Amino acid sequence: MDNLCVVTEIEECDFSKLTERTRPLNIERQRSCDERSLNELTVGFSPRFSVRNTDSSSSLCRMAENLDGIVFSPGRRSGFTTPRSQFGFEPHPMIGEAWEALRRSLVYFRGNPVGTIAALDNSEEELNYDQVFVRDFVPSALAFLMNGEPDIVKNFLLKTLRLQSWEKKIDRFQLGEGVMPASFKVLHDPVRNTETLMADFGESAIGRVAPVDSGFWWIILLRAYTKSTGDSSLAELPEIQKGMRLILSLCLSEGFDTFPTLLCADGCSMIDRRMGVYGYPIEIQALFFMALRCALVLLKQDDEGKECVERIVKRLHALSYHMRSYFWLDLKQLNDIYRYKTEEYSHTAVNKFNVIPDSLPEWVFDFMPTKGGYFIGNVSPARMDFRWFALGNCIAILSSLATQEQSNAIMDLIESRWDELVGEMPLKVVYPAIESHEWRITTGCDPKNTRWSYHNGGSWPVLLWLLTAASIKTGRPQIARRAIDLAEVRLLKDSWPEYYDGKLGRYVGKQARKFQTWSIAGYLVAKMMLEDPSHLGMISLEEDKQLKPLLRRSHSWTNF
């Protein structure tokens, strides 16, 4: 076990002192609205009513810019409740089943809940599905926060912080100090009657790739906890502040790269197998942007914090410009790329990345609607990955990396291409699937990522909560309602699978685990958010007017 990271009983003594110092403030909990009640934010329309192109819609968009509030309050309840809801409506039959399944997945360390395991499917070999994954726990954490149970989230944040501090080596090579674990598990020693935590930083993962997204999700979840409880004492702990700075120092370090985006390996995010997302994947860039913005709120303005904040602000300006300019694709931009000249030099070049127009895939011309757009998967020298990635685009909306116009265009695209992106089970993780010879080259003949399966065009129910959040933020709750209705037809009947296969998501995934925890939690979060949209404040950020420069491509980065 010398290569493994464990938290021993001795080290737990230090942790108990941390816990004593972070007792919640004695204040009234106000989910996401800090100063204004939900009634003051009420617009008063049905979840099934489309409000686009109306005065109410423009009002919604303006109000959504307020970080402390959320715009949508349904004129009628949708007929379900959470276990602690104050309303007396009869819950949907799936709600109770989902909560029972979620609670069965809880992991305890010395009597305290510290997370949820990935899946409770006893019909298959466990592999690493019996572990607590940082990214997987996020929807579970949000569900518990929305239901007024923040202790498990605090325990999780502090435990993973302790794991971050351990020495991390893979094949004698030491990882950066700020790397957060991909997952951890509780080891029971019946002889000594002790428990220890064992962390995985990538040494046991497919392809042995460290998770870049874990640190970002940790910061985002810390902000969600603070926003939900009103308790800032946890985030203000010196240990928490140092943990954030260590994560950010890995991303903000200066090097050879000329782009403000973050260079990553294949398999470092939710798509944790070889899928051609190496370079600058949209998912990582959107999470990077959101984590930076959350850190701005959470970091203290002391000597160390102030220096970090200054670096964050500079990076945010460059990153927002780069992403909104070069990763954005709509009909006009597609036509411009189609007419690109190549081999251009100097600062006057229009085709800055020397993308060859002949590399444009045939499918993108039919996929692009007249009204709509999205952030493409990747941009790097002579390469543009035009695939649609759901998580990156939804996070772009929630973090306000996407402008208001771009956010609306993304939702326009989803509505226009509903069959392709949603089909019979929300939501395609990536579209379209890669096939034949391209599949062999891109995935290395990966038998799990065959066409329209798993990461290669599979449908993932966990993405339902992200689609719901993006729909509410853009004033289109009817999109979320339609997607949830689809999920409720099959999710419980199919025993909460991890993913679905096929162009329409019609078939339970050929290797999908049943009772997948984040499928369960994603559904619960989507339902609770639609019932009480003020919950959106935990995971949504208002648009920062200072990060809204004219999208005019400058001659050099020095203009920032």
Side-chain angles (χ1 to χ4, degrees):
M1 301 235 341
D2 54 335
N3 285 351
L4 303 176
C5 176
V6 296
V7 175
T8 64
E9 290 178 287
I10 296 174
E11 285 146 351
E12 188 60 19
C13 293
D14 295 333
F15 171 77
S16 64
K17 294 177 181 178
L18 277 178
T19 307
E20 290 178 3
R21 290 156 52 193
T22 58
R23 290 172 180 160
L25 299 176
N26 185 22
I27 62 174
E28 181 181 357
R29 182 176 179 272
Q30 294 179 321
R31 294 185 193 167
S32 303
C33 300
D34 296 334
E35 297 177 356
R36 293 181 293 173
S37 68
L38 183 62
N39 290 334
E40 290 175 303
L41 298 171
T42 298
V43 177
F45 55 87
S46 167
R48 297 180 183 271
F49 178 66
S50 175
V51 296
R52 287 180 298 152
N53 303 321
T54 67
D55 294 337
S56 297
S57 177
S58 60
S59 175
L60 285 174
C61 294
R62 288 194 299 272
M63 292 177 67
E65 295 177 359
N66 190 335
L67 219 173
D68 296 326
I70 180 58
V71 294
F72 163 62
S73 179
R76 61 174 178 83
R77 291 285 165 178
S78 50
F80 60 90
T81 79
T82 63
R84 295 194 176 189
S85 175
Q86 60 181 323
F87 303 101
F89 296 99
E90 184 68 24
H92 190 284
M94 282 178 62
I95 295 290
E97 296 276 358
W99 273 108
E100 287 182 15
L102 181 60
R103 295 194 189 284
R104 285 197 303 269
S105 72
L106 283 169
V107 174
Y108 290 84
F109 181 68
R110 296 177 184 166
N112 296 314
V114 293
T116 52
I117 62 172
L120 273 171
D121 188 356
N122 297 320
S123 64
E124 300 282 349
E125 183 185 355
E126 282 187 344
L127 296 178
N128 59 355
Y129 283 82
D130 63 340
Q131 299 188 30
V132 180
F133 281 82
V134 173
R135 77 172 68 95
D136 289 40
F137 180 66
V138 171
S140 296
L142 294 176
F144 286 118
L145 287 174
M146 291 177 184
N147 200 45
E149 302 176 67
D151 287 348
I152 181 178
V153 182
K154 181 166 73 172
N155 293 341
F156 171 85
L157 290 168
L158 288 169
K159 289 297 182 187
T160 46
L161 178 70
R162 294 290 291 170
L163 294 172
Q164 181 201 42
S165 66
W166 277 132
E167 183 181 49
K168 300 170 278 287
K169 282 188 177 181
I170 299 178
D171 293 336
R172 300 184 181 182
F173 180 74
Q174 187 160 324
L175 279 67
E177 190 179 1
V179 173
M180 279 288 184
S183 63
F184 66 86
K185 67 187 300 183
V186 178
L187 297 180
H188 303 270
D189 186 341
V191 177
R192 298 174 57 192
N193 194 26
T194 59
E195 291 182 342
T196 57
L197 291 180
M198 181 180 71
D200 175 18
F201 290 93
E203 66 267 32
S204 301
I206 294 291
R208 302 301 187 267
V209 178
V212 175
D213 61 337
S214 287
F216 299 151
W217 280 123
W218 188 86
I219 293 175
I220 293 167
L221 188 55
L222 176 63
R223 187 259 178 189
Y225 171 87
T226 305
K227 189 74 176 173
S228 173
T229 63
D231 177 15
S232 60
S233 63
L234 178 66
E236 291 174 354
L237 282 174
E239 294 84 353
I240 294 284
Q241 293 285 311
K242 180 182 178 182
M244 278 191 288
R245 291 196 302 269
L246 287 175
I247 294 170
L248 297 172
S249 66
L250 287 175
C251 314
L252 298 173
S253 59
E254 298 173 349
F256 289 98
D257 211 330
T258 59
F259 310 141
T261 41
L262 199 61
L263 184 62
C264 302
D266 233 343
C268 66
S269 60
M270 176 183 173
I271 299 178
D272 59 1
R273 302 166 75 97
R274 179 177 166 188
M275 269 288 291
V277 296
Y278 61 88
Y280 307 91
I282 178 61
E283 176 180 332
I284 292 298
Q285 312 314 319
L287 286 172
F288 179 32
F289 182 88
M290 189 168 193
L292 290 177
R293 292 206 59 200
C294 288
L296 276 182
V297 178
L298 298 169
L299 283 171
K300 296 173 69 174
Q301 293 288 334
D302 52 20
D303 292 340
E304 293 177 304
K306 186 176 181 180
E307 180 185 355
C308 191
V309 165
E310 291 174 353
R311 296 173 68 188
I312 289 173
V313 171
K314 290 180 181 179
R315 190 62 166 264
L316 280 172
H317 277 281
L319 183 61
S320 62
Y321 175 85
H322 185 92
M323 296 298 297
R324 292 170 180 176
S325 300
Y326 302 117
F327 274 68
W328 181 252
L329 188 72
D330 54 21
L331 186 62
K332 179 184 182 303
Q333 181 67 6
L334 179 60
N335 204 161
D336 290 344
I337 297 171
Y338 178 71
R339 292 169 49 82
Y340 266 169
K341 295 179 181 179
T342 59
E343 307 301 323
E344 293 183 298
Y345 297 89
S346 185
H347 298 303
T348 60
V350 175
N351 185 2
K352 292 182 181 292
F353 301 99
N354 199 37
V355 174
I356 310 300
D358 287 345
S359 68
L360 283 164
E362 290 294 330
W363 63 265
V364 75
F365 294 100
D366 294 328
F367 180 71
M368 181 61 68
T370 302
K371 180 183 179 183
Y374 65 103
F375 289 99
I376 64 175
N378 223 315
V379 175
S380 57
R383 178 182 179 228
M384 297 182 81
D385 183 348
F386 291 93
R387 287 177 294 176
W388 149 272
F389 289 85
L391 196 153
N393 276 273
C394 288
I395 291 293
I397 292 175
L398 297 177
S399 65
S400 289
L401 170 60
T403 64
Q404 185 173 307
E405 293 77 13
Q406 289 172 336
S407 295
N408 286 325
I410 292 171
M411 302 312 294
D412 285 336
L413 177 81
I414 292 174
E415 287 193 298
S416 298
R417 297 293 176 255
W418 186 263
D419 289 342
E420 292 92 336
L421 301 179
V422 180
E424 296 183 17
M425 177 58 65
L427 177 67
K428 289 293 181 194
V429 65
V430 57
Y431 180 88
I434 48 180
E435 307 179 59
S436 305
H437 181 66
E438 184 184 1
W439 165 79
R440 295 184 178 90
I441 297 299
T442 303
T443 72
C445 299
D446 186 352
K448 196 167 186 177
N449 274 330
T450 53
R451 63 178 184 172
W452 306 112
S453 179
Y454 202 49
H455 298 138
N456 189 15
S459 299
W460 291 69
V462 64
L463 297 172
L464 183 62
W465 80 265
L466 285 158
L467 176 62
T468 299
S471 299
I472 295 172
K473 182 172 183 181
T474 54
R476 305 191 194 186
Q478 74 280 358
I479 295 178
R481 166 50 50 203
R482 185 180 176 190
I484 290 173
D485 287 346
L486 284 172
E488 287 178 338
V489 172
R490 297 187 56 193
L491 266 183
L492 179 59
K493 182 178 66 175
D494 294 336
S495 301
W496 309 99
E498 180 182 17
Y499 64 94
Y500 286 78
D501 286 352
K503 285 188 176 182
L504 296 176
R506 180 173 293 174
Y507 307 99
V508 174
K510 58 186 176 183
Q511 296 187 42
R513 296 304 175 105
K514 299 295 183 70
F515 296 99
Q516 185 80 14
T517 303
W518 69 357
S519 296
I520 298 165
Y523 166 74
L524 285 172
V525 171
K527 291 287 279 189
M528 286 190 285
M529 223 183 298
L530 200 58
E531 181 189 40
D532 184 356
S534 69
H535 287 311
L536 182 64
M538 294 184 200
I539 202 68
S540 177
L541 296 166
E542 64 175 337
E543 187 171 10
D544 189 338
K545 301 301 182 182
Q546 294 181 346
L547 297 178
K548 197 176 180 182
L550 291 175
L551 295 184
R552 182 179 61 250
R553 296 185 175 117
S554 61
H555 289 172
S556 70
W557 294 113
T558 56
N559 287 355
F560 291 104

